[in-house]
Amino acid sequence: MLRTALRNVLAHKARLIMTALAVLLGVAFVSGTLVFADTTATAFRNASAKSLKGVAVSVRAEEAPATPAGGEGGRRTTALDTALARKIRALPGVASVRPTVNGEATLAGRDGRPVNADDNSQNLATNYLRDKDGKDSHFPLKEGRGPAAEGELALDGKTAEKAGYRIGDTVRFATDGPALTKKLVGIVTTDDPQVTAGGTLTLFDTATAQKLFRHPGQFDEIAVAAQDGTDEGALTDRVRALLPGKGARATSGTDLAAEQAAQIAKNTQSLTKTLLVFAGIALFVGVFLIANTFTMLIAQRSREIALMRAVGASRRQVVRSVLIEAALLGLVASAAGFALGLGIATVMRPLLNTTGAGLPDGPLVITPAAPLSSLAVGVAVTVLAAWLPSRKAAKIAPVAVLSSVDQAPPARALVVRNVLGTLLTAAGVLVMFYVSTLRTSTESHLMTAMLGGVLTLLGVIVLAPLLSRPLITLAGRATTRWFGVSGKLAKENALRNPRRTAATASALMIGLALITGLTVGGHSAQRAMVREATQGLAADYKVTNSTTRGLDADAAGKVARVPGVAAAAPVTSAGLDTQGRYAVITGTDPKAFGTAAQLDFQAGSLSDIGPGRIAVSDEFAQQARLHVGGTIDAELGNGTDSGTTSGTGTGTDSAKDTGTDTGKARKKLTVVGIYASTRAADDALGTLSDVLPYSTSSKELENVLVKAETGQAHGLERKIRAALGDSPLLKVRSQEQLVKENNGPLTMVLNMMYGLLGMAVIIAILGVVNTLAMSVFERTREIGMLRAIGLDRSGVRQMVRLESVVISLFGAVLGIGTGIFLAWAGGSLTTTSMPLYETVLPWGRLGAFLALALVIGVLAAIWPARRAARLNMLHAIQSA
């Protein structure tokens, strides 16, 4: 039986090649993911080990509050200072200490535009610490020298290239305020993964770094190197004894390495699991192709198997022969898939880094688990898919089948299958209807949605033979009307074996169901995000600061004086607590805001807003039972009351307040208007003078909305930047840029998922090709008879093509319909984080999917149709 299995593999190698490709692609995905995970984890560990090389103890500053704006530039304080560094250096067993200062510096390129303005890459900055030889071993010099004075800086090579700077150039940058300039004196290299993945690195001398990010003599971290033979644990204890009670923490090098290793494992585990899910989908689709192939091979070899049974082969031996054949196929395909997976693992890192993943460079790491797991998965999936066909082969009677080749499945089996499919589909639909009533995306709700989706898909797969008859009959009417006899024959061929047709279509259905669900959900989310980014916004530009620090209070006035600006509305916000209900109030200039934003007032108007007079959204008015003309006793700000003091009064009786030195106050406010809830304004809207003293951005503006004069919007960005000091921290974004920024991360994720799910569609296409090719083979005599009674070669080709198209469209209709339903039901889980979400069908893309199915059907039939048309008529009629 082993020799028989080997002979069968070699005899049908052309027919099995598509099946092997399905296994190969699925295993390539699995092996690529495993190798990529090992490679990434090792690269992170190597980068971490290099950064911790020689570090016996790390003393790090704990989070400290920033100095209030206006107090020395908003720099943060830290418990680590020069005196502490000296004390640590004097401890026995200490070889050296390296005190570092860390911060962020946003660079402007030579073209004046901020570097990394359109992505979330890190803009790192630190101090260049000279060793005894005058260089910093952590940042090897590539050109020039290290910064040594306040007016100097150094950049890493990739940053300098990206920004267009050379040694001697004047570099513009900003940390948390206006733009600064320094001379570029050195270019260094670094292995920091955040930098190699697209971030920037700026180096200053220690005194300058402290001035920019801390206070003189203060640090973020002190790395301690130990002398040979020094006990790391004992040294850590000695360092801890020197630390103040709060504000600093000492960790041994060993513990720090363990912490970083655990964090690396956690970071890579999520990505690995996600990729393996898509690999599982590809393999699941491949199961249909494999099972279909073996079912058809067994049907074609039924006489051969009957003869084997007649000469003494037992049922167990027949099953074993088929499974050995499947195992050999799986082994060869898995080995090739593992080789392809190495290529996938190689390109995955740079591909993900384009999305800002920040993965470090490193060689491929192939652990024994990767090839063993890949081979085991490939063989197991192939054998599992061939198990049912092997049992069918074992049931072939020695004599009864000698005169028959392909029998339709017994009615009883299809009845049982239809009942099971109905139960699975009903259960899945009921679960998804329950999911559609949920409004939060908790982990349990997501798991429920996944369960409902899986049950629905399985139910549709099981019911596919039953659904095939009405849908293919409907499609057959069109093919018969348009293509005559060829169209009618194509319909009959597709209906001849409902199980085979369903299995072929189901593979395509799964891929298109997932892609359709992803497309509908993603399109709906993008539409919601567009609405959220621009709802009620009439402004041409929105000006913000890229750091937590806001804009100066006079920024709107400066922008308003720019030629071409029609209005500049300052915007800030503060907490508002009334009658135990917390809300957010927006402070602005009502007149300018009316030009830059569009509010739908149900009562009152923007012109009614003034000192002590506010408008509220309809939702907040309903929750707090507010009405026009009513007065509320509200608490503004986000601080903690510590008593009452004289407030900052607005100069009107209605706005008398009691405040505190913590930025919180009680005010009596009169409601003068109610507007429809919108993203352009918060729960309430008041004047800038009422809100700014208690704003969440430390008495600074959060943004400025700019409306351009008619025909003046183009080129206004540069003028606005110039009016505000042209700091690289400034973000001046048009509505189009706001939408792009909001949708950017989601678009990247969707594109990556489309690519991953595309693997399943490719496998499904192979399934259609394989099914048609083998169907042509088993219908050789029939095709010869059709040729004999007058069907020409072009008619045969058209018949096979139409059969392929009908099967593909059947799978597409099932997949698109199922995907739309799952996307609609699961979309409710996004309403908490995305209130404006509603299911919107992208008709153009759905039509493109149907067109894609049509193209798949035509392309998949090229080889089988050509083969069928070239059959010799007489030889075909004489074939057994």
Side-chain angles (χ1 to χ4, degrees):
M1 298 307 294
L2 177 60
R3 285 197 300 270
T4 301
L6 289 170
R7 181 183 61 79
N8 284 329
V9 171
L10 296 175
H12 302 105
K13 52 183 178 293
R15 304 177 209 170
L16 292 173
I17 190 169
M18 298 297 178
T19 304
L21 281 174
V23 179
L24 183 150
L25 291 174
V27 170
F29 219 149
V30 173
S31 63
T33 300
L34 295 176
V35 173
F36 168 74
D38 292 334
T39 299
T40 302
T42 301
F44 269 119
R45 284 194 294 268
N46 290 341
S48 175
K50 183 174 285 189
S51 66
L52 294 176
K53 184 179 180 180
V55 177
V57 184
S58 173
V59 183
R60 295 186 175 184
E62 296 178 342
E63 289 297 323
T67 305
E72 299 192 67
R75 287 172 284 161
R76 292 166 292 170
T77 60
T78 174
L80 308 186
D81 55 21
T82 304
L84 179 61
R86 289 173 179 169
K87 291 178 181 178
I88 294 175
R89 178 67 184 85
L91 288 173
V94 173
S96 64
V97 297
R98 179 184 175 84
T100 57
V101 182
N102 301 318
E104 290 189 4
T106 304
L107 300 173
R110 287 180 65 88
D111 60 358
R113 291 182 54 82
V115 178
N116 293 341
D118 298 326
D119 57 41
N120 296 319
S121 299
Q122 294 292 309
N123 298 310
L124 307 177
T126 188
N127 59 317
Y128 186 87
L129 195 62
R130 295 173 179 271
D131 298 329
K132 293 180 180 179
D133 61 356
K135 299 179 180 179
D136 190 335
S137 59
H138 279 67
F139 303 107
L141 282 169
K142 186 177 180 182
E143 294 180 51
R145 59 177 176 81
E150 184 176 356
E152 299 175 346
L153 58 75
L155 301 174
D156 78 281
K158 289 187 177 181
T159 300
E161 181 181 358
K162 186 187 299 184
Y165 288 121
R166 296 181 178 179
I167 297 292
D169 287 346
T170 298
V171 178
R172 291 181 63 251
F173 69 96
T175 56
D176 66 348
L180 304 172
T181 58
K182 296 187 187 297
K183 183 180 179 181
L184 178 62
V185 297
I187 295 178
V188 305
T189 60
T190 179
D191 295 324
D192 190 322
Q194 295 181 92
V195 180
T196 57
T200 64
L201 175 65
T202 308
L203 300 172
F204 306 96
D205 66 279
T206 300
T208 302
Q210 289 173 333
K211 182 177 180 180
L212 290 172
F213 308 118
R214 288 288 180 258
H215 289 274
Q218 293 188 345
F219 305 97
D220 291 288
E221 181 181 8
I222 300 175
V224 183
Q227 296 175 356
D228 293 339
T230 301
D231 181 83
E232 188 179 277
L235 181 58
T236 304
D237 291 337
R238 288 197 291 271
V239 170
R240 284 178 181 151
L242 294 177
L243 300 183
K246 294 181 179 180
R249 180 171 64 94
T251 308
S252 69
T254 302
D255 291 343
L256 190 60
E259 289 177 8
Q260 293 193 2
Q263 187 61 42
I264 290 169
K266 182 179 179 181
N267 292 341
T268 57
Q269 185 181 36
S270 176
L271 178 60
T272 302
K273 286 182 177 180
T274 301
L275 293 174
L276 285 175
V277 166
F278 286 97
I281 292 171
L283 286 171
F284 183 63
V285 173
V287 165
F288 289 90
L289 195 162
I290 299 166
N292 226 15
T293 299
F294 276 94
T295 298
M296 296 178 72
L297 283 175
I298 287 165
Q300 293 170 16
R301 284 159 36 199
S302 56
R303 290 191 178 185
E304 174 189 328
I305 294 171
L307 287 171
M308 290 172 58
R309 292 292 313 283
V311 297
S314 66
R315 289 189 175 187
R316 181 175 297 179
Q317 285 178 312
V318 172
V319 171
R320 190 182 305 159
S321 174
V322 175
L323 294 183
I324 290 174
E325 184 178 343
L328 291 173
L329 174 69
L331 185 62
V332 173
S334 298
F338 178 76
L340 179 60
L342 297 181
I344 293 176
T346 302
V347 303
M348 202 171 288
R349 183 196 61 80
L351 181 64
L352 290 175
N353 276 344
T354 60
T355 66
L359 303 177
D361 295 328
L364 279 183
V365 177
I366 305 173
T367 62
L372 292 177
S373 299
S374 301
L375 293 175
V377 167
V379 173
V381 167
T382 310
V383 171
L384 179 65
W387 181 68
L388 285 177
S390 71
R391 288 177 56 85
K392 181 180 179 182
K395 293 178 181 179
I396 295 176
V399 178
V401 235
L402 290 178
S403 60
S404 63
V405 176
D406 187 25
Q407 290 181 325
R412 180 183 177 185
L414 286 177
V415 169
V416 172
R417 176 171 180 155
N418 293 340
V419 171
L420 177 61
T422 302
L423 293 175
L424 284 173
T425 306
V429 169
L430 288 175
V431 172
M432 293 310 296
F433 272 122
Y434 166 71
V435 169
S436 69
T437 65
L438 304 175
R439 292 294 178 267
T440 56
S441 56
T442 63
E443 185 175 351
S444 61
H445 290 167
L446 290 174
M447 293 301 294
T448 302
M450 289 179 64
L451 173 64
V454 169
L455 289 174
T456 303
L457 277 173
L458 288 177
V460 174
I461 290 169
V462 176
L463 278 179
L466 177 65
L467 299 173
S468 66
R469 182 162 295 278
L471 292 178
I472 291 178
T473 300
L474 183 63
R477 292 181 181 176
T479 59
T480 301
R481 180 175 180 181
W482 294 339
F483 301 100
V485 174
S486 296
K488 184 174 183 179
L489 289 172
K491 180 196 73 171
E492 296 300 329
N493 289 335
L495 290 173
R496 177 177 300 183
N497 192 327
R499 279 183 169 177
R500 180 189 305 163
T501 298
T504 305
S506 292
L508 185 60
M509 183 271 288
I510 295 169
L512 283 180
L514 296 174
I515 289 179
T516 299
L518 184 66
T519 299
V520 173
H523 179 72
S524 301
Q526 286 177 325
R527 289 285 296 270
M529 293 173 75
V530 168
R531 292 174 61 193
E532 288 181 358
T534 60
Q535 186 186 41
L537 191 65
D540 295 294
Y541 291 97
K542 183 177 183 179
V543 185
T544 58
N545 195 315
S546 59
T547 66
T548 54
R549 185 174 183 269
L551 300 169
D552 293 337
D554 61 347
K558 293 178 180 178
V559 174
R561 293 190 288 271
V562 173
V565 172
V571 177
T572 191
S573 65
L576 184 150
D577 190 355
T578 175
Q579 301 174 1
R581 295 185 179 277
Y582 181 78
V584 178
I585 182 171
T586 298
T588 186
D589 173 4
K591 183 177 180 180
F593 195 77
T595 304
Q598 297 173 335
L599 296 186
D600 180 16
F601 272 84
Q602 299 173 0
S605 66
L606 272 171
S607 60
D608 296 325
I609 298 174
R613 303 190 301 276
I614 65 170
V616 296
S617 70
D618 52 1
E619 289 184 3
F620 182 55
Q622 184 177 3
Q623 294 171 2
R625 298 181 181 179
L626 302 176
H627 57 86
V628 174
T631 300
I632 61 173
D633 185 13
E635 190 172 54
L636 270 66
N638 302 281
T640 304
D641 275 337
S642 58
T644 58
T645 64
S646 177
T648 59
T650 60
T652 64
D653 292 339
S654 62
K656 290 180 182 179
D657 60 81
T658 57
T660 72
D661 55 7
T662 57
K664 200 167 187 180
R666 301 201 68 83
K667 280 181 172 289
K668 289 191 178 296
L669 302 170
T670 302
V671 178
V672 295
I674 296 177
Y675 54 87
S677 296
T678 174
R679 284 286 298 257
D682 293 306
D683 304 298
L685 187 64
T687 63
L688 191 66
S689 59
D690 276 347
V691 179
L692 186 60
Y694 318 103
S695 66
T696 56
S697 56
S698 302
K699 301 183 181 179
E700 295 170 333
L701 301 180
E702 293 177 4
N703 61 75
V704 175
L705 302 179
V706 183
K707 181 66 177 177
E709 294 177 354
T710 304
Q712 299 295 313
H714 181 70
L716 199 57
E717 175 189 356
R718 290 299 309 161
K719 296 179 182 179
I720 295 172
R721 295 187 65 87
L724 296 177
D726 203 13
S727 169
L729 297 175
L730 284 174
K731 286 188 174 183
V732 183
R733 294 163 294 175
S734 63
Q735 284 202 25
E736 182 180 352
Q737 290 170 323
L738 286 171
V739 170
K740 184 178 179 180
E741 184 177 288
N742 262 24
N743 287 346
L746 178 60
T747 301
M748 287 183 184
V749 171
L750 289 175
N751 289 339
M752 185 174 73
M753 288 188 174
Y754 284 143
L756 296 174
L757 289 175
M759 187 79 74
V761 176
I762 291 173
I763 295 174
I765 295 172
L766 296 177
V768 177
V769 176
N770 213 23
T771 298
L772 288 173
M774 301 183 78
S775 178
V776 166
F777 176 82
E778 72 179 23
R779 298 205 312 262
T780 299
R781 177 179 291 183
E782 176 186 320
I783 293 172
M785 291 295 296
L786 291 171
R787 290 291 314 283
I789 62 176
L791 188 65
D792 59 12
R793 293 181 185 272
S794 62
V796 172
R797 283 195 295 268
Q798 190 175 74
M799 175 187 70
V800 177
R801 278 198 299 266
L802 289 174
E803 180 183 354
S804 176
V805 168
V806 166
I807 292 174
S808 296
L809 288 177
F810 169 53
V813 170
L814 282 185
I816 293 172
T818 304
I820 290 173
F821 170 71
L822 295 179
W824 167 79
S828 62
L829 299 179
T830 66
T831 53
T832 299
S833 58
M834 208 175 293
L836 298 180
Y837 180 93
E838 60 181 20
T839 301
V840 179
L841 297 183
W843 294 108
R845 296 184 192 179
L846 298 180
F849 291 160
L850 281 174
L852 174 65
L854 181 65
V855 172
I856 288 172
V858 173
L859 294 179
I862 291 176
W863 177 54
R866 180 183 175 88
R867 184 166 181 251
R870 294 176 65 181
L871 287 175
N872 183 282
M873 186 189 310
L874 295 178
H875 290 168
I877 293 174
Q878 293 172 358
S879 65

